[in-house]
Amino acid sequence: MEGVDHLALERSKTQFDVDQMKVVWAGSRHALDVSDRIGRLVASDPVFKKDNRAMLSRKDLFKDTLRKAAHVWKRINELKLTEEEASRLRFFIDQPSYMDLHWGMFIPVIKGSGTEEQQKKWLPIAYKMQIIGCYAQTELGHGSNVQGLETTATFDPKTDEFVINSPTLTSSKWWPGGLGKVSTHAVVFARLITDGQDHGVNGFIVQLRSLDDHLPLPGVTVGDIGMKFGSGAYNSMDNGVLRFDHVRIPRDQMLMRVSQVTREGKVVLSNVPRQLLYGTMVFVRQTIVADASSALSRAVCIATRYSAVRRQFGSNDSGVETQVIDYKTQQSRLFPLLASAYAFRFVGEWLKWLYTDVTQKLQANDFSTLPEAHACTAGLKSLTTSATADAIEECRKLCGGHGYLSSSGLPELFAVYIPACTYEGDNIVLLLQVARFLMKTVSQLPSGKKPVGTTSYMGRAEQLLQSRSNVQKAEDWLKPSVILEAFEARAMRMSVACAKDLSKFANPEEGFAELSPNLVDAAVAHCQLIVVSKFIEKLQQDIPGKGVKEQLQILCNVYALFLVHKHLGDFLSTGSITAKQASLANDQLRSLYSQVRPNAIALVDAFNYTDHYLSSILGRYDGNVYAKLYEEAWKDPLNDTVVPEGYREYIQPLLKQQLRNARL
Amino acid sequence: MEGVDHLALERSKTQFDVDQMKVVWAGSRHALDVSDRIGRLVASDPVFKKDNRAMLSRKDLFKDTLRKAAHVWKRINELKLTEEEASRLRFFIDQPSYMDLHWGMFIPVIKGSGTEEQQKKWLPIAYKMQIIGCYAQTELGHGSNVQGLETTATFDPKTDEFVINSPTLTSSKWWPGGLGKVSTHAVVFARLITDGQDHGVNGFIVQLRSLDDHLPLPGVTVGDIGMKFGSGAYNSMDNGVLRFDHVRIPRDQMLMRVSQVTREGKVVLSNVPRQLLYGTMVFVRQTIVADASSALSRAVCIATRYSAVRRQFGSNDSGVETQVIDYKTQQSRLFPLLASAYAFRFVGEWLKWLYTDVTQKLQANDFSTLPEAHACTAGLKSLTTSATADAIEECRKLCGGHGYLSSSGLPELFAVYIPACTYEGDNIVLLLQVARFLMKTVSQLPSGKKPVGTTSYMGRAEQLLQSRSNVQKAEDWLKPSVILEAFEARAMRMSVACAKDLSKFANPEEGFAELSPNLVDAAVAHCQLIVVSKFIEKLQQDIPGKGVKEQLQILCNVYALFLVHKHLGDFLSTGSITAKQASLANDQLRSLYSQVRPNAIALVDAFNYTDHYLSSILGRYDGNVYAKLYEEAWKDPLNDTVVPEGYREYIQPLLKQQLRNARL
Ligand SMILES: Cc1cc2nc3c(=O)[nH]c(=O)nc-3n(C[C@H](O)[C@H](O)[C@H](O)COP(=O)(O)OP(=O)(O)OC[C@H]3O[C@@H](n4cnc5c(N)ncnc54)[C@H](O)[C@@H]3O)c2cc1C
Ligand SMILES: Cc1cc2nc3c(=O)[nH]c(=O)nc-3n(C[C@H](O)[C@H](O)[C@H](O)COP(=O)(O)OP(=O)(O)OC[C@H]3O[C@@H](n4cnc5c(N)ncnc54)[C@H](O)[C@@H]3O)c2cc1C
């Protein structure tokens, strides 16, 4: 951050304690310190350079990724990093690799579904990376519908082994990250077959490659599935294809925490309830929500800084043009995204707590909150990833033409981020699960069953179906109780309306299918309520630092009122608010934007991102955009020569032609 | 299209004459024939292969583009193609190149802004491509605000020349397509300065490169601005940077149709009114709307076919799983986009007519409809490009995980399409122009000035501010008059509400700035009304072919009712419809989806796209998705070797390590 700070004037206008806001964003002073230290470490290490990534060929990019991953591991060990530090290090590298799946899926699934014995055997070597594992569930023909997987694992009592096989083309494993070129092992999901009977899908630890020479073991066909969206981006990952031709593994490599196959080939359930496996899902989805706030805040940081640098039209007294961040349209597109970044950060933090809570309850054999926790994480995964994907692209558009350059950082961020809407559950499929849970909850209300956790508002159904918002003037919309009531009324009424419509169908499944678009809308309303209410809860905590809480209060209101505007149809058609009240909400929103404006740069500075992590010329901390864009352009390979390759064959002949016959 | 047709069953369910629909889509039997013939020609020519585009390095991609462009030109001449055929040929190549700017901007701007003499001099050599030109307006520091451009063209009466200069870093030309590596000439926009006086921005024809060796002329610095969004995509284009160090051009290279500089350096206006220049804008934006329907229909074609191939969950009587296109959520996301493709096609066709109409009126010195036509094309450019960009990404999501593969065709389509939201006017800036026009129109109503063209509904302001929709049952929503009234009432009321709010401000400009987000919403409402009403008008024509009109009727209703659902807040808050009526619209929409369902595949077949043009495995005509995906994967360079490059340096050492110190 050498040289002139082109954003110094902006920074001087800040009305709050940025350092304290950094603590809030990071989660704690300790977390901030770790993050700050590791962020700088990565930024200063030449191996971790990533600014030419978009220009690398697939092979070079992949090799670069292998190099980085090995270096990450080296640094972790050399510096004796803690688990927390190591995870921040992997985060700041900002280049997807087999490491993500090894640490993020392979190890957790063995922890979650392996017996103690299995954990003892596999985890130590996995922790030391003496084996590298991936998560092989999805097939060419089946993703969302896990129960439809076709790979088989047939028990052979003669040899006490399972025979893993890919009976059809569509049963080929397809997508698993780290599988294509790196993993030595995989947790493979396959239909368990014993004695001719199909016992459904289970996980199996299967070795794929020789630990000596990395060649696929006999019967294993494995490769990369090819280029994905964008340049750079997720192409650093070797998502793979995998086929088995009757590959044999010992019986004890089936993950047996929940159900076991005996020496005789009998399937017996252990005393561990199946629901326990949901724990892993809650864990993984919680990390996805955390990632959403990271990706979103990064995009918002870029767009906000550039919007303060960019000037276009108008002119104030000094004759300079207007900064585009001063246009209300720009604010109305950008500030809600800034607010969303904070909202998702806090709901992510809360989900982390929820995971701990659920884990503790599971250990105490208390499963009462599990369905609610499961629905809640599914819904929040869907909500935050969809919103983030859209927001990144909106941030790119907010940067005008220059946002379309690779060097803006936004194209690659979009490309690398969007599959989060699809993996770990397609977002629509997840919302349908939430809706199913909501319909169940509503149907149980008459029986007096108390809804728990994030659905507890449904316990006040009668009140919420009747209530009228008592907003009279714009400022009333600043009250948390007013906001909560509107969101609760909307969510409640949409769920109840769906339930009513459903009851008109003789066949409930048919009804569910027919009404599914409405059910999705109801699920979204419920999830938005969760995010809003967790933001409000956060603000009930003690938050030190001059002006910090005030700023967060403003952002909370921006987030809520922006949603009211965006989903106005819901609020009005359910009668949760009136048109007049909606218009007051809009007025209030506009005035909130003016309050965000002077603090906008500081609010993105509080994310504490290094220029390395942002990898965006438009988002540079010092705002020195134009000189650096100009400098960067000349690095493109096309500029290696003044006259382009191909001139003699393809341009010169055109220019020199003597046309006779053309009609043009 | 060899082998089995996996979609044959789907095609057998079609309820309309697909061939006649193809005619409707193409515009005429003749247009269909041309398009069909040229499409096949391109598909069968090996030079035009594009399936490995995402894997090419920037340099190789660029060279490939030069090769294709030269081959296009060769074929056009060899086959003596007509202008129409040539333009289809360039379209089907589907690879952006300098040709697009040469034919689409350089030539039109000389036609529009050059004197007859200038046209005589420059057009013939441009038509023969003995020179290659681009359009150099945008600078590093100024895009939207053209009046803020900094490049100067100073008249030197001593030599009768203009001196073109780039006084600052931010005055560097930045973005012009075809500039970076190819163009020999450019129309450069610069501030005209004579005798120390600034006369604002004008266009100048400037030679950039030697016609002998392609080297930049003295004083010219030119290069490519670097990688853009995605792989393949728009990286085939050499968007350029350009700086002038006092480059001299003869006086007669200023485009002088509207204003002229005399030998003495006097600026005189010709008798041609400035508005004439708007004509070119209307022309260019009209082509952008046409491109929107092409890109959108292409994405929809891919997603629709794949949705019929893809099966997931459920099972009908035969035990096979449900095609995902049968899920109502899938339909509610996909079918409105299908309907939008048709809607945009028809409004594009109408815009073509509008352009002819405007041109004729201009020639007769009738400028009365120009502002309306200008606002209308600006608004429709904004509306259709924004909707198309979003829709392409939605289509990708509709394809689940496989949509994320390059081979789905959707990532590249998105990457290449999205800048349409930014170039030729940032979409928000354009909507603000539309809003300004609407406010002017509303303010003139009391004076009795009759609004023309697409604003003529505003002449019925009083009625529209009062009216109540008389929808009583779901089927009422099928009536064109009902739909039109709802859309007119909504648009009218939003404009009038804005006008009222504006009148509360002492300073109208301040009011406009403050209320700009609402003004943008009002502009969108107005533009959507135009699209809906042009679709309805289209249906008033005679449309032959069994079932063709019926299908279009259904799509028209889907488009309109989908918008009602999406913008329900507008319709309800303005009181244009009631909540009950909205719910009936929703019911009707669901039943329309069921009517679209059996015809979905045929409706995308009617676009008559070759597999070459689609370049999508998921969108293949024959639906043979899985075998081809599997085949394609192995072509990735990463699969050249079984063990990846870098294994020895970066993977093996990990696996073989003896860890001692790690805390993990
Ligand atoms: C980058 C990336 C990384 C991945 N990594 C891994 C990995 O490491 N390991 C692994 O095993 N897998 C991985 N996957 C696969 C991923 O988990 C699946 O793609 C995902 O589960 C979605 O399934 P699908 O692709 O089958 O989508 P589909 O289910 O085929 O979705 C297609 C469409 O059908 C709709 N649909 C499907 N079912 C229903 C329904 N019941 N009701 C209504 N609509 C429905 C969807 O909404 C969607 O619009 C990865 C995928 C990607 C893109
Ligand atoms: C792929 C591509 C090809 C191009 N080809 C060419 C070419 O051939 N020739 C050429 O000359 N140019 C070309 N351009 C440049 C293009 O025309 C400009 O990028 C475009 O006009 C937008 O201007 P901008 O980049 O300055 O955006 P900006 O105006 O800087 O936009 C940044 C943000 O500010 C907002 N904003 C700006 N002004 C206002 C306002 N008054 N009120 C409210 N909000 C405002 C915008 O909405 C946007 O969110 C190309 C651009 C691209 C991306």
Side-chain angles (χ1 to χ4, degrees), chain B residues 392-431:
Chain B
I392 295 170
E393 172 58 7
E394 183 69 7
C395 284
R396 195 194 60 71
K397 291 207 184 96
L398 283 161
C399 295
H402 301 347
Y404 190 61
L405 285 169
S406 278
S407 58
S408 79
L410 291 164
E412 194 174 4
L413 182 56
F414 182 77
V416 83
Y417 187 73
I418 47 173
C421 299
T422 307
Y423 58 55
E424 269 305 302
D426 169 272
N427 279 354
I428 295 296
V429 174
L430 291 180
L431 288 174

Side-chain angles (χ1 to χ4, degrees), chain B residues 131-204:
Chain B
I131 61 172
I132 299 172
C134 67
Y135 183 89
Q137 179 175 300
T138 306
E139 297 174 353
L140 197 44
H142 286 92
S144 299
N145 182 15
V146 179
Q147 296 317 316
L149 294 177
E150 298 176 79
T151 305
T152 51
T154 311
F155 182 64
D156 179 355
K158 284 194 227 104
T159 60
D160 197 17
E161 289 171 320
F162 291 109
V163 183
I164 313 285
N165 195 43
S166 309
T168 59
L169 175 72
T170 47
S171 74
S172 310
K173 292 292 170 189
W174 189 270
W175 272 120
L179 166 66
K181 293 285 145 184
V182 178
S183 294
T184 60
H185 289 68
V187 171
V188 172
F189 288 82
R191 315 198 73 79
L192 168 60
I193 298 180
T194 63
D195 210 12
Q197 227 198 313
D198 186 331
H199 297 273
V201 173
N202 274 269
F204 300 82

Side-chain angles (χ1 to χ4, degrees), chain A residues 29-40:
Chain A
R29 171 65 64 184
H30 168 77
L32 173 61
D33 287 346
V34 170
S35 191
D36 188 66
R37 186 159 35 81
I38 304 288
R40 287 167 194 273

Side-chain angles (χ1 to χ4, degrees), chain A residues 306-307 310-314 324-325 327-330 333 394 396-405 626, chain B residues 101 105 134-146 173-178 189 228 234 237 239 416 419-420 422-429 432 516:
Chain A
Y306 180 63
S307 294
R310 185 71 171 170
R311 292 172 180 275
Q312 206 78 224
F313 294 104
V324 298
I325 199 174
Y327 291 114
K328 281 279 159 179
T329 46
Q330 192 85 353
R333 295 156 71 202
E394 184 68 9
R396 195 193 60 71
K397 291 207 183 96
L398 283 161
C399 296
H402 300 346
Y404 190 61
L405 286 169
Y626 295 119
Chain B
L101 284 299
M105 294 293 293
C134 67
Y135 183 89
Q137 179 175 300
T138 306
E139 297 174 353
L140 197 44
H142 286 92
S144 299
N145 182 15
V146 179
K173 292 292 170 189
W174 189 270
W175 272 120
F189 288 82
K228 289 147 292 192
Y234 219 82
M237 181 72 85
N239 294 95
V416 83
T422 307
Y423 58 55
E424 269 305 302
D426 169 272
N427 279 354
I428 295 296
V429 174
L432 288 169
S516 55

Side-chain angles (χ1 to χ4, degrees), chain A residues 54-55 58-59 63 66-67 70 73 77 80 82 98 128-130 140-145 169-170 174-175 181 211-214 216 223-231 234 241 243 310 312-313 321 328-329 333 393 396-397 400-402 404-406 411 414-415 418-419 421-422 428 513-516 521 565 569 572-573 590 626-627 629-630 633-634 636-645 647 649-650 652 654-657 659 662-664, chain B residues 54-55 58-59 63 66-67 70 73 76-77 80 82 98 128-130 140-145 169-170 174-175 181 211-214 216 223-231 234 241 243 310 312-313 321 328-329 333 393 396-397 400-402 404-406 411 414-415 418-419 421-422 428 513-516 521 565 569 572-573 590 626-627 629-630 633 636-645 647 649-650 652 654-657 659 662-663:
Chain A
M55 280 186 269
R58 181 86 207 278
K59 262 187 183 167
K63 199 169 167 186
L66 294 181
R67 178 168 174 240
W73 187 236
N77 291 305
K80 299 185 187 160
T82 62
Y98 66 89
K128 288 190 222 139
M129 298 205 80
Q130 289 168 330
L140 197 45
H142 287 91
S144 299
N145 182 14
L169 175 72
T170 47
W174 187 272
W175 273 119
K181 292 284 145 184
L211 290 173
D212 290 324
D213 57 11
H214 212 62
D224 185 273
I225 59 171
M227 287 277 285
K228 289 147 291 191
F229 203 126
S231 53
Y234 219 82
V241 45
R243 290 184 58 78
R310 185 71 171 170
Q312 206 78 224
F313 294 104
E321 288 170 285
K328 281 279 159 179
T329 46
R333 295 156 71 202
E393 172 59 5
R396 195 193 60 71
K397 291 207 183 96
H402 300 346
Y404 190 61
L405 286 169
S406 278
F414 182 77
I418 47 173
C421 299
T422 307
I428 295 296
E514 183 64 22
L515 299 173
S516 54
D521 289 347
H565 180 72
L572 292 179
S573 65
R590 270 209 318 277
Y626 295 119
L629 275 178
Y630 190 82
W634 300 102
D636 192 275
L638 275 192
N639 290 325
D640 288 352
T641 56
V642 177
V643 174
E645 276 180 37
Y647 163 69
E649 302 103 293
Y650 307 125
Q652 200 177 39
L654 285 192
L655 298 171
K656 302 270 175 203
Q657 71 198 308
L659 282 185
R663 276 207 234 172
L664 288 177
Chain B
M55 281 188 269
R58 181 85 207 279
K59 263 188 183 166
K63 198 167 167 189
L66 295 181
R67 177 168 175 241
W73 187 236
I76 288 175
N77 290 306
K80 299 184 187 160
T82 62
Y98 67 87
K128 287 189 222 142
M129 300 205 76
Q130 289 169 332
L140 197 44
H142 286 92
S144 299
N145 182 15
L169 175 72
T170 47
W174 189 270
W175 272 120
K181 293 285 145 184
L211 290 173
D212 290 325
D213 57 12
H214 212 63
D224 186 273
I225 59 170
M227 287 276 286
K228 289 147 292 192
F229 202 127
S231 53
Y234 219 82
V241 45
R243 290 183 59 77
R310 185 71 172 170
Q312 207 78 226
F313 294 104
E321 288 169 287
K328 281 281 159 180
T329 46
R333 295 156 70 203
E393 172 58 7
R396 195 194 60 71
K397 291 207 184 96
H402 301 347
Y404 190 61
L405 285 169
S406 278
F414 182 77
I418 47 173
C421 299
T422 307
I428 295 296
E514 183 64 22
L515 298 173
S516 55
D521 288 347
H565 180 71
L572 292 179
S573 65
R590 271 210 316 279
Y626 296 119
L629 275 179
Y630 190 81
D636 192 275
L638 276 192
N639 290 325
D640 289 352
T641 57
V642 177
V643 174
E645 275 179 37
Y647 162 69
E649 301 102 293
Y650 306 124
Q652 202 177 38
L654 285 193
L655 298 170
K656 301 270 175 204
Q657 70 198 310
L659 284 186
R663 279 206 233 171

